[in-house]
Amino acid sequence: MNALLAELIKLKRSLSWPVVVLLPLALVVSAVVNTLVSGQPLEDGWATLWLRSLVFGGLFPLALGVGTLASLVWRVEHRGNNWNVLMSGPTPTWRIVVAKGIVVAGLSAAMQVLLHLAVLVMGEVLGLPGGMPVAYLGISALIMIACVPLAVLQSGLSMVLRSFAAPIAVALVGSGISIMLLMAGLDAALVSPYGLFSRTTQLGTGTFLDDGSTSAIDVVMILSLSVGLTAGLLAATTWFINRRDTHA
Amino acid sequence: MSYIVTTENLTKRYRDRTVVDGVDLRVPTGCVYGFLGPNGAGKSTTLKMVLSLIRPTSGAVQVLGQPMTRQTRRDLLGRIGSLIEAPPGYAHLTGAENMRLVQRLLGLEDAQVEHAVRTVRMNDQMDKKVGHYSLGMKQRLGIAMALARRPELLVLDEPSNGLDPAGIEEMRELLRGLAEDGVTVMVSSHLLGEIDKTATVLGILSGGRMIFQGTRDELFAASTPDVLLDCSAPERAQAVLSRIGPATLEGSAVRLAGPGNRAVAGAVAALVGDGIGVHGVRRDEQTLEDVFAELTSGGGL
Ligand SMILES: Nc1ncnc2c1ncn2[C@@H]1O[C@H](COP(=O)(O)OP(=O)(O)O)[C@@H](O)[C@H]1O
Ligand SMILES: [Mg+2]
């Protein structure tokens, strides 16, 4: 808890906030622009706007966004002597790893909330028929949960690799491979945080592996994979950092 | 004597290069331990092993009476303040925010933080962003961060690096004050002058090996100063003495490098035998600087 409170101070004046705000806006605006350019109307109203914002975002842009947030949050730790301070304090490594994971997952969740709101506002502005389906609230919540292992993985990569760009590149490659597996209809993609996240953004849309209806089995599977992957990745990062020497 | 830090045969190898070689540290509780050595001697590497920031290739570290390992380090580190190599701090936050961060992380009282900030005389700078601090201010903030937890042991790696003479003097006073408060301070430097007057115990590292460890007095005692011979024909005297050992001309005197008593007697006899008048034989005044230079260039006592 102490470690988490300390992390919150570091978010002051952080460059993470512009990313949290701008990426969702960019996704919704580009969904509308694509619609105008392609000349294909939002034939299914809300569902089409959701699909063009969320599912597209889930293919790779959101993963890159989470990767960028993680790199921003870790960048300050790799500056000056901050890493040595982190490693020569009494806070156990696992707490540092968990606190950073929570911060990145929290920022990512804030991004999802804004994306949800941006779709809502844009739909109203465009005068889409009926209200936004209530089920989307549940799907947004699931997306936030499925984003946790992704956030923990990216946080771990940024912690270990000490580079800003490399973890983001890993996110791009990881997302690409996962999309190919999903397109090929392979459930195996779900054991990767990138695949699990993409899959969850597709819930209820009938794209890729999704059949358009969200079953309890889907939900349970997403929840349990999220929990399992998160625990595994936290443990792996802690183990790795505890064994490694500080860099020169 | 009780020791707050001891190491046994502490060694670190990078590939086939031995950077720290069988070091046995003995840091008495309550002292200011000056850890000296030229750049690249292995001071930072040793201190990082003491803090378990890096793991020894072989050998062991004991701190505060317990083995320092990856399993025990987080428990011990709460009682140790440290500042290794460069000053820490989050540049996008103010000094006060950086201190609040430490306070939350370690669950400290306001008074502890205030005391630490006052100790390093940074009270007027706390609302500035650390990114705008001078190096000296960053260094002092780093020490305040290390001090806030009221450590029993403070490990400072070259804290005077980049400071101006006034800053260095201030650092000396700070260290003395801490020692008076009962904190054991381990401070490294590649310049003897920086810690000469503050340190009560010295450890000298050269090429990864500990070449001296003890008090200032012991260091003086352990090395033999040069002898100056004042004589009537210095040039001829130098020629005579050069046959016995290294002798250099110095004004109207000849300098013999670190001779023992018997060698001095021999030298005088040789000069007299050659008909040269000897009217003065004296040991050179040696500064600690000389001893240090001699040790670290020649290697070993
Ligand atoms: N991670 C590392 N890998 C390889 N060599 C290293 C590493 N860290 C330090 N060294 C080498 O070890 C030697 C001692 O370094 P260091 O402990 O920093 O010396 P000092 O602090 O006394 O100046 C140097 O020659 C340095 O190049
Ligand atoms: Mg050094």
Side-chain angles (χ1 to χ4, degrees):
Chain A
M1 199 60 204
N2 286 350
L4 186 57
L5 288 173
E7 285 302 322
L8 295 182
I9 297 179
K10 295 179 196 167
L11 288 180
K12 252 190 175 179
R13 290 187 282 274
S14 165
L15 286 175
S16 321
W17 298 112
V19 175
V20 167
V21 175
L22 294 179
L23 183 58
L25 292 182
L27 281 175
V28 175
V29 168
S30 79
V32 172
V33 169
N34 279 342
T35 301
L36 294 177
V37 170
S38 68
Q40 293 171 320
L42 298 165
E43 62 275 337
D44 275 336
W46 287 101
T48 312
L49 180 59
W50 181 264
L51 186 140
R52 287 183 186 166
S53 309
L54 261 291
V55 177
F56 172 68
L59 292 182
F60 72 90
L62 285 169
L64 294 192
V66 173
T68 307
L69 290 173
S71 282
L72 283 170
V73 162
W74 274 106
R75 187 176 56 160
V76 292
E77 308 295 355
H78 297 309
R79 290 243 171 109
N81 198 30
N82 292 339
W83 177 267
N84 279 341
V85 171
L86 218 48
M87 289 300 131
S88 58
T91 313
T93 310
W94 72 265
R95 283 190 202 230
I96 297 170
V97 170
V98 169
K100 283 284 193 206
I102 291 176
V103 167
V104 178
L107 289 169
S108 306
M111 199 158 71
Q112 176 59 31
V113 169
L114 286 181
L115 183 51
H116 189 102
L117 289 176
V119 172
L120 178 65
V121 170
M122 188 56 86
E124 294 295 343
V125 168
L126 295 176
L128 296 180
M132 189 192 212
V134 180
Y136 288 178
L137 279 175
I139 292 172
S140 268
L142 277 175
I143 290 173
M144 288 188 233
I145 292 168
C147 189
V148 175
L150 178 60
V152 169
L153 173 61
Q154 290 300 136
S155 172
L157 287 173
S158 294
M159 182 180 200
V160 168
L161 296 180
R162 291 167 52 208
S163 142
F164 190 87
I168 301 174
V170 172
L172 187 61
V173 173
S175 296
I177 293 173
S178 298
I179 293 163
M180 287 195 296
L181 293 177
L182 286 177
M183 287 207 294
L186 288 172
D187 286 322
L190 297 188
V191 299
S192 128
Y194 304 109
L196 179 65
F197 180 71
S198 288
R199 168 71 188 92
T200 309
T201 60
Q202 294 152 9
L203 274 180
T205 60
T207 50
F208 295 91
L209 281 182
D210 197 80
D211 59 7
S213 68
T214 307
S215 71
I217 295 175
D218 293 332
V219 174
V220 168
M221 189 178 63
I222 287 171
L223 288 179
S224 45
L225 278 171
S226 297
V227 171
L229 282 172
T230 299
L233 287 165
L234 288 173
T237 311
T238 304
W239 179 84
F240 187 82
I241 292 295
N242 268 340
R243 284 176 52 83
R244 203 170 67 160
D245 277 2
T246 190
H247 39 80
Chain B
M1 192 166 346
S2 88
Y3 297 107
I4 196 161
V5 178
T6 62
T7 67
E8 305 301 332
N9 204 18
L10 192 63
T11 301
K12 184 71 181 180
R13 258 192 297 280
Y14 287 113
R15 274 173 288 277
D16 52 356
R17 240 187 101 214
T18 306
V19 172
V20 174
D21 194 358
V23 166
D24 296 325
L25 281 177
R26 293 287 178 273
V27 181
T29 308
C31 76
V32 176
Y33 186 97
F35 196 33
L36 285 164
N39 282 324
K43 302 181 296 293
S44 300
T45 306
T46 304
L47 294 179
K48 284 180 192 164
M49 287 192 280
V50 167
L51 296 167
S52 192
L53 279 170
I54 59 181
R55 297 186 301 167
T57 308
S58 61
V61 178
Q62 284 234 341
V63 182
L64 292 153
Q66 288 170 57
M68 175 64 112
T69 66
R70 284 295 160 103
Q71 282 71 47
T72 61
R73 66 167 170 173
R74 297 294 187 181
D75 292 329
L76 289 168
L77 286 167
R79 299 159 68 188
I80 306 170
S82 60
L83 185 61
I84 295 296
E85 284 182 336
Y90 297 93
H92 66 292
L93 301 177
T94 65
E97 285 161 350
N98 271 283
M99 287 309 294
R100 186 131 26 89
L101 211 149
V102 173
Q103 180 176 10
R104 283 197 189 170
L105 199 55
L106 305 180
L108 306 175
E109 306 285 325
D110 287 346
Q112 281 171 286
V113 171
E114 272 165 39
H115 182 259
V117 170
R118 242 182 298 113
T119 307
V120 298
R121 298 210 212 105
M122 284 289 285
N123 357 3
D124 296 334
Q125 314 291 345
M126 296 311 280
D127 294 331
K128 279 191 205 148
K129 274 201 215 169
V130 169
H132 299 155
Y133 276 7
S134 68
L135 181 61
M137 287 156 75
K138 282 185 193 160
Q139 202 75 278
R140 282 190 284 165
L141 181 74
I143 294 179
M145 289 163 82
L147 278 181
R149 71 189 71 164
R150 299 251 160 113
E152 290 159 62
L153 171 66
L154 187 62
V155 178
L156 302 175
D157 189 21
E158 309 242 6
S160 306
N161 247 4
L163 297 191
D164 55 18
I168 294 175
E169 186 49 42
E170 223 169 77
M171 183 70 62
R172 282 203 198 104
E173 272 170 42
L174 176 63
L175 298 190
R176 266 193 291 262
L178 288 172
E180 276 162 27
D181 291 344
V183 181
T184 307
V185 183
M186 224 188 143
V187 53
S188 79
S189 178
H190 65 283
L191 296 173
L192 174 81
E194 277 174 12
I195 47 177
D196 169 17
K197 298 183 188 72
T198 341
T200 46
V201 180
L202 295 169
I204 301 180
L205 203 64
S206 178
R209 289 175 165 279
M210 193 74 128
I211 53 175
F212 173 82
Q213 187 168 231
T215 63
R216 285 169 47 109
D217 292 343
E218 283 167 349
L219 180 56
F220 274 122
S223 81
T224 325
D226 293 354
V227 163
L228 291 164
L229 296 160
D230 303 300
C231 41
S232 54
E235 262 132 59
R236 207 148 56 81
Q238 188 210 358
V240 171
L241 294 175
S242 292
R243 275 180 248 133
I244 309 170
T248 50
L249 204 56
E250 205 169 295
S252 66
V254 179
R255 173 183 290 273
L256 297 179
N261 286 341
R262 186 178 299 198
V264 176
V268 172
L271 291 180
V272 172
D274 240 49
I276 301 171
V278 180
H279 49 262
V281 179
R282 55 200 158 95
R283 289 270 174 196
D284 191 17
E285 286 266 338
Q286 227 183 356
T287 64
L288 212 50
E289 230 94 18
D290 299 332
V291 179
F292 181 52
E294 188 186 320
L295 278 178
T296 49
S297 63
L301 290 163

